[in-house]
Each structure stands twice: as C-alpha cells, then as structure tokens.
Amino acid sequence: MSTPRTLYDKLWDSHVVRVDHDGSALLYVDRQLVHEVTSPQAFEGLRLAGRRVWRAGASLAVPDHNVPTTGRGGGVAGIADPVSRIQVETLDRNCAEFGITEFTMNDSRQGIVHVIGPEQGATMPGMTIVCGDSHTSTHGALGALAFGIGTSEVEHVLATQCLRMKKSRNMRVTVSGATGPGVGAKDIILAVIAQIGTAGATGCTVEYAGDAIRALSMEGRFTVCNMSIEAGARAGIIAVDQTTIDYVRGRPFAPRGAVWESAANAWRELVSDEGAVFDHEVAVDAAAIKPQVSWGTSPEMTVPVDGVVPDPAFEADPVRRQSMAAALRYMDLRAGEAIAGIGLDKVFIGSCTNGRIEDLRAAADQVRGRRVAGSIRLAMVVPGSGLVKKQAEEEGLDRVFTEAGFEWREPGCSMCLAMNADRLAPGERCASTSNRNFEGRQGRGGRTHLVSPVMAAAAAVAGHFVDTSAEG
Amino acid sequence: MESFQQVHGVAVPLDRPNVDTDQIIPKQYLKSIARSGFGPNLFDDWRYLDPGDVGDDHGKRRLNPDFVLNHEHYRGAQVLLARDNFGCGSSREHAPWALLDYGIRCIIAPSFADIFYGNCFKNGILPVALAAAEVDQLFAEVAAAPGCKIAVDLPAQTVTAPAGEVFRFTVDAALKERLLNGLDDIGLTLQHRGEIEKFEARRKAEAPWVFN
C-alpha cells in the first residue's frame, strides 16, 4: 500500500514535469489568470526576447484593479485617469496581440479576477492556477492548487506553461464544531489569522478542514482560502465534496456529458488520504468564534467585536510591542477602548474576499428597511463581477442597498486597494469587507477595519460596530 | 538579470516587523507599465510628508525628516536591515523593482514573506535570513555607528558585521546559482521543451477538461 498523501501532495505530484538535480521542480500550470497591473512588464519581456505564448488558451484576462466603478459609458477611452487608462488599454492590446481571451471592461462578465475564474468554471478542481496577485489562493477552495506569483513568473508561465519551484510544507487548520449565529466565513478566517499570526503559515500550503469548513457554501470557502496569504501561506485548499461538484456543474468552461462524469469522478479523489501526515496542525473551535473586527494595521491585529483594543503594555516581545503602539497611533485608537464603540466614516462592501452574491445577500438582510447612519459619509457596495451585479439586481438587492443610502457601483477591486478613484481621505475610518488593513491600503492616512459583510452592513446602519451575534 | 556576488555597503535599519509591499511601493505607482523608475517612490508614504502620484516631480516633495531613509548617514545605502516577515502582502514585483532602483542589493531580516523572497531572486536582490539574535546585533551595531557598512558575500554565504563578526546564512543551491550567474529562467526552462510537451500531451489525455 502506498504512503497516505495530503491533498496538496496529490495536486503537486500530478503537475511535476521534472525534478532537477538541485531539487527544484518544473510544475505544469493549467490555468493562468491575467489582470492589467502585474502583466504589462511580462508581455513586454516576451516581446523583447521574441518569445511566443506557450498556450494562449490556458490564460484568461480581465481588467479589475484599476477600472472605475462609475461612469463607464465612455468605455476605456473614457477612463478619467490617463495613467489608469493606458494600463487598461495595454492589457487589451497585449491580449489581442498574443491571442488571449479577455473579458474587457464593459463585457457583462467582467469582474474581479478571483470572482470570475470560479464563476466561469475557468478554475476547476485539480488544476494548478496562478495569477500575478496574492489572492489567487481563493481558487484553492475548489480543491485546486492556486497561488500568487510575481511578474517575472507571469512571463515565465506565459512562455513555458511551467513554474520552477520547490514544494512547500503541509499545514492543516481544522475548524471543529458549528459557528454561532451572525458568524460566517470571514469571521472564521480572521480568527484563524489572529490565532496563528500573519506569518503563521509562511512556507506552507494550508488545508482547511473540519465540520465548520464542510458546512460552508462555496462562496464561504472562497472567502476562507482568499485570506490564506494574510497568514503567510501562498496557497489554501479545501477538499472536494458534493458542494464543490455541484458548484462547478454547468458553468461555461466546465465539461459536459461524458467528460463531465469522468471529471467529477476524478475530482472526488481530491481529498487528503486517511492517515496523511501534516507538518503542522492547528485546531480551532468554531463555537468560540465571535464576529471579528481588526483594530490595527496587520490582519493578525483582530479581536472579537465584544472585546477591547489591546494594550501594548501587556506584550512581552519588544518588537511586537512597538509595532502595536505604532498601529494604535496610526489607527488613532486607545488601548482598552471598546471595539463596538468605534465610530466610522465609510463602509465598503466588496472585493475578492467578499464580493460574491451570498455576501451581498447577507449584507442586504442587515439593511433591508433601514437607513445608513447620518454619520457615515459614504457606504458603497461594489459587486465582485458583472454577473454578481446582474444576479443581485434580479433579486432586488440593489434597491435594498440604494433605498438604505448605499451607493451601488460597477464591479472591480475598488476600495480594497484604492488604485482607482475609490479611496479613503486621510484620517477617515472605514469598515471594509476586504482583506488588508495595512497603512494607506485604502488611501494614504486611511484607517481600515476588516470585517464580514454582515458586520459592515450592520455598522453602516448603526454608525459603529455592533455585536451581530447578540441579535435575536 | 543583474548577477549578485558581493556587496559591501552602508546598511539602513528599518526597525519594524511585517513591512508589507503596500508600504514598499504604494498602489498609485503600480499603474506604470515600465519595470524601472520606482526608486523615488520606495516607502513613499513614510518617506514624504505630502502625498504623491505618478508623474509628480518627487524632488520637489517634502521629505519626512524622521524617516530613516532620509537620514544623511544612510545616503547610498545598499543593504536594508529589516525585521520579521519583511515583504508580506501583495505579490507586486514592483516592490523589488523599487528597492533595486533605489540601490538596495541585499535585505537582511529574521524572516521574509514567500512571494517577495522569490521575487527578489528574479531581480538581482539577495534576501538574507539570519537568526533573530544576529539581526538584533546588526541593528545595535548600526545604531552605534550610523552609516557603517555591512559586507555580504553570496559565494561564501556570509554576512560580516561592521565590528567584524561573521555570520553564515543558508540559501537554496538553485537560487544561489541563478543569482550568481544572472541566469535567464525562461531560457533554462525552455531547454526542457520536449519534456513539457510530453507532460502536456499526457495531461490532455487524462484531464481533457483542463484544456477547455
């Protein structure tokens, strides 16, 4: 009998083209997703070296980071920021030149690269998936090996369909039991990051397991895997089950007929074997997870909503103490302050973490028939894709949001990283469903609190954070 | 790619953990479609008191006198001394491009984020992970004599502290070889074209849906 293997071992083994004498492997890449920010220099490199794209059909491109979320009537030529416009035009030109399928800005299927990949069925179980974006880990929720790469590697994959790399270690995070009311996938992953730290999974591929993970919808699983990089892991994965297979069935890129049956049968094998050994094991009790709110400038600086801002004085490590103090200064918070009492200026619902239909439904449930608090300057919903937007509109969610005082925007990355016009002004405080609370992430001097869509919506109505698990 | 052998240069100390790539090069500069010219915007939010954008004349902006890169002692620094988990966050290769464009050839820290670590090797920058106590000692020596130099030798895999103590570091043999010789990764991989084609044909037979 062969040695039991983890899911990561299986995905790795099935993609190794060759192993060199130095132990580094050439790993075959099934799918590459491409966006406008990390690809122009890669295409330029190909041109300068006179190289062709190995397999154009392996790539799917979409502009998302830099596109405006309002006023797209003028098309790409109408993008107000000339530097952004050039970058989006460059993607269009590169894809046309190299024969890569692109959903252009005004295509109904345009959206955030990590939302449209699964939505189209372009990312499937068992695949190796890369993109010049660290949140590529999202696609691991399908039982795929998916991770972010730099631009040199984007060029390498375009030219060779392979990556040169070494295998990482196996970590399993088991979330046992059931979560309580008002607690969702975002709270689970924020609690995991708070527990293991922002570098806790560096060098590892994390498999999320346990009843609480199995109970999540695919949307929730994408949220969990999405933030693996915030714990330092390049990739996060979840074993295939019926939820995975049901999600993929019928999507535009998904196989059909007899091929579907053989694909689904192959995918059912994508689980860690009984007895497989992990280098690291982490146990989390789902029932103990409260709704989470980040207070600092690293995703690990997160506490339950019924908690208080921590005091650096109780931190033993001097480097960490200093970093906590710097975070308190940047965030303009005081140790001991109640999280639920923190007032907000803006609310952002969207991103590759929480811009899917289920996220919008959960947020809409909080605001239906209510109004955004008068103290909130801007509350905005940015759907993750054109198709998510369309679905939400068919369900009337857009009206729920706009009647409550939210703005309803066009799809894109938007205020998750503020490359377009959507950003915080210096000193503004935002409840955000995105993934990073780094200094200046949402705009220079802006203050970000990472939360779930339920929390963001409830906070928009209240004007401050509220314990959503204490309701009803 | 630029090769890396040795560096003997001024070390600038950046004394905070979890420095993310958003800090190394803020998002507005990622709109550029070039690989160079990011140096003036390295650590932009910390380095300048006023906000900046692509196309600004950064020479006219107000420098933050409290930020270490702006201290006279550290002018022309080639070695960056950093803390745990340097380069976390986004995969943007603009981060090593900005460091290189500024003149940094080596970063010494107790630990690095994975994607950033790999991106450095693709751009002629050597990231060196030393034990936390060794990094503490380098910080202390640089604080005692600002502007002092640290020597880094890739063939010998050593870091020589300003006071002369030598620390050894480990580096993956394959990454070392490519950095020493400034090798073109794509050219190396394409030497195995036949094997890639063979693998691809087998994959297509076994999992045709992947090629939809």
Side-chain angles (χ1 to χ4, degrees):
Chain A
M1 200 178 138
S2 56
T3 316
R5 291 184 299 165
T6 66
L7 171 54
Y8 172 56
D9 295 340
K10 293 180 183 182
L11 292 168
W12 175 270
D13 292 348
S14 61
H15 288 86
V16 173
V17 173
R18 60 172 277 124
V19 179
D20 274 332
H21 60 89
D22 57 33
S24 65
L26 266 190
L27 199 70
Y28 187 79
V29 173
D30 293 320
R31 181 77 71 211
Q32 170 150 254
L33 302 167
V34 178
H35 65 81
E36 76 278 24
V37 176
T38 55
S39 68
Q41 298 87 350
F43 285 112
E44 185 63 15
L46 292 182
R47 262 193 295 271
L48 289 173
R51 287 179 172 132
R52 53 178 281 273
V53 169
W54 181 281
R55 178 162 71 88
S59 290
L60 175 63
V62 68
D64 59 359
H65 282 60
N66 218 339
V67 295
T69 56
T70 55
R72 289 192 189 170
V76 175
I79 298 178
D81 178 346
V83 193
S84 295
R85 190 183 67 236
I86 289 169
Q87 201 167 49
V88 176
E89 285 170 348
T90 303
L91 179 69
D92 292 353
R93 210 171 41 245
N94 282 331
C95 289
E97 181 183 336
F98 288 96
I100 289 170
T101 303
E102 181 195 359
F103 296 165
T104 53
M105 187 178 79
N106 281 352
D107 189 306
S108 61
R109 300 163 296 179
Q110 180 269 344
I112 305 172
V113 67
H114 307 309
V115 175
I116 70 160
E119 184 173 82
Q120 291 295 319
T123 52
M124 287 182 238
M127 276 184 165
T128 42
I129 300 152
V130 300
C131 175
D133 190 286
S134 60
H135 293 110
T136 309
S137 57
T138 309
H139 309 266
L142 290 160
L145 179 57
F147 49 87
I149 56 178
T151 297
S152 295
E153 290 177 311
V154 171
E155 184 181 341
H156 192 279
V157 174
L158 285 170
T160 71
Q161 211 51 51
C162 291
L163 271 179
R164 186 176 286 273
M165 60 195 312
K166 283 200 167 159
K167 202 177 166 191
S168 51
R169 294 190 304 278
N170 280 289
M171 175 185 280
R172 178 162 58 188
V173 173
T174 305
V175 189
S176 305
T179 50
V183 175
K186 183 67 166 287
D187 302 300
I188 293 177
I189 189 61
L190 283 171
V192 168
I193 296 164
Q195 181 173 329
I196 71 175
T198 188
T202 299
C204 298
T205 291
V206 176
E207 178 173 346
Y208 300 95
D211 326 327
I213 300 295
R214 294 260 71 87
L216 291 173
S217 65
M218 280 313 300
E219 281 85 353
R221 295 179 189 186
F222 289 128
T223 301
V224 169
C225 287
N226 172 274
M227 290 190 73
S228 300
I229 185 68
E230 266 45 82
R234 263 180 110 160
I237 47 179
I238 294 175
V240 171
D241 61 9
Q242 198 57 42
T243 303
T244 325
I245 289 170
D246 290 345
Y247 177 88
V248 180
R249 192 193 311 269
R251 295 190 179 267
F253 283 75
R256 294 175 198 283
V259 185
W260 166 262
E261 290 307 325
S262 38
N265 284 335
W267 295 341
R268 286 194 179 89
E269 304 293 318
L270 296 172
V271 298
S272 287
D273 293 332
E274 191 78 35
V277 177
F278 289 81
D279 302 293
H280 307 276
E281 293 266 14
V282 174
V284 179
D285 174 12
I289 300 174
K290 300 280 289 183
Q292 303 284 308
V293 178
S294 77
W295 60 268
T297 53
S298 165
E300 70 181 13
M301 294 173 170
T302 292
V303 291
V305 65
D306 58 356
V308 297
V309 175
D311 191 342
F314 296 113
E315 171 59 51
D317 178 67
V319 175
R320 290 178 65 90
R321 187 164 61 237
Q322 190 189 334
S323 134
M324 286 172 74
L328 287 184
R329 274 196 303 279
Y330 182 85
M331 294 296 289
D332 190 30
L333 294 171
R334 279 151 300 282
E337 199 171 331
I339 295 292
I342 298 172
L344 298 155
D345 304 306
K346 288 185 173 169
V347 174
F348 170 63
I349 297 175
S351 84
C352 60
T353 313
N354 282 128
R356 297 181 182 79
I357 188 68
E358 188 179 275
D359 300 315
L360 304 193
R361 287 178 188 143
D365 284 345
Q366 294 290 322
V367 303
R368 192 170 277 110
R370 299 183 186 172
R371 290 285 306 168
V372 168
S375 55
I376 302 286
R377 287 174 208 153
L378 171 72
M380 64 194 291
V381 182
V382 183
S385 73
L387 296 181
V388 168
K389 180 168 186 258
K390 182 163 170 279
Q391 171 81 32
E393 288 172 353
E394 282 167 9
E395 296 179 18
L397 303 185
D398 57 324
R399 289 208 322 280
V400 172
F401 285 116
T402 53
E403 283 166 11
F406 278 85
E407 292 193 10
W408 179 250
R409 298 289 187 92
E410 298 296 332
C413 300
S414 180
M415 210 161 68
C416 172
L417 86 165
M419 268 193 83
N420 68 356
D422 310 333
R423 62 186 73 160
L424 299 181
E428 279 186 332
R429 190 179 295 285
C430 181
S432 178
T433 66
S434 56
N435 40 56
R436 288 187 176 136
N437 51 353
F438 299 156
E439 283 186 25
R441 171 80 178 180
Q442 295 192 291
R444 186 179 163 122
R447 299 174 178 133
T448 303
H449 295 274
L450 302 176
V451 294
S452 72
V454 167
M455 177 65 74
V461 170
H464 56 82
F465 296 116
V466 286
D467 187 351
T468 49
S469 68
E471 290 181 357
Chain B
M1 185 190 80
E2 225 173 312
S3 72
F4 185 104
Q5 305 286 331
Q6 289 96 5
V7 157
H8 184 218
V10 170
V12 56
L14 187 60
D15 194 4
R16 49 194 293 169
N18 302 321
V19 171
D20 58 76
T21 54
D22 275 81
Q23 294 314 323
I24 298 174
I25 182 81
K27 81 287 293 319
Q28 63 268 37
Y29 304 107
L30 272 50
K31 294 176 192 172
S32 165
I33 57 171
R35 254 179 201 267
S36 57
F38 297 101
N41 306 111
L42 175 68
F43 299 120
D44 196 87
D45 282 0
W46 290 336
R47 202 161 142 201
Y48 300 98
L49 292 170
D50 43 2
D53 211 337
V54 187
D56 287 357
D57 180 351
H58 302 289
K60 289 189 175 156
R61 292 171 63 198
R62 285 186 299 132
L63 290 172
N64 174 4
D66 296 332
F67 185 56
V68 71
L69 237 64
N70 293 329
H71 296 182
E72 192 58 35
H73 303 297
Y74 303 118
R75 187 179 290 270
Q78 289 182 286
V79 177
L80 180 69
L81 203 50
R83 293 292 187 184
D84 263 316
N85 199 29
F86 187 85
C88 61
S90 146
S91 65
R92 60 188 70 169
E93 200 160 317
H94 311 68
W97 294 338
L99 287 157
L100 187 70
D101 201 55
Y102 181 84
I104 300 294
R105 296 303 311 280
C106 175
I107 306 161
I108 301 173
S111 62
F112 294 89
D114 284 342
I115 303 177
F116 176 81
Y117 186 81
N119 282 342
C120 284
F121 282 95
K122 314 255 181 228
N123 291 284
I125 296 177
L126 174 65
V128 172
L130 290 181
E134 293 168 344
V135 174
D136 282 344
Q137 184 180 326
L138 292 175
F139 266 98
E141 289 191 27
V142 168
C148 63
K149 292 183 173 181
I150 290 178
V152 182
D153 186 317
L154 178 57
Q157 295 182 211
T158 57
V159 169
T160 307
E165 190 166 349
V166 177
F167 304 124
R168 286 195 59 78
F169 64 87
T170 57
V171 58
D172 177 84
L175 291 175
K176 178 180 175 180
E177 188 193 333
R178 268 175 276 147
L179 192 51
L180 280 175
N181 299 304
L183 295 177
D184 168 21
D185 276 356
I186 295 176
L188 288 178
T189 299
L190 287 176
Q191 290 173 4
H192 306 296
R193 177 184 291 277
E195 279 172 276
I196 302 171
E197 284 170 346
K198 216 171 103 193
F199 179 94
E200 193 166 58
R202 197 181 77 218
R203 182 118 182 97
K204 204 163 187 171
E206 288 172 2
W209 56 86
V210 166
F211 296 78
N212 282 5

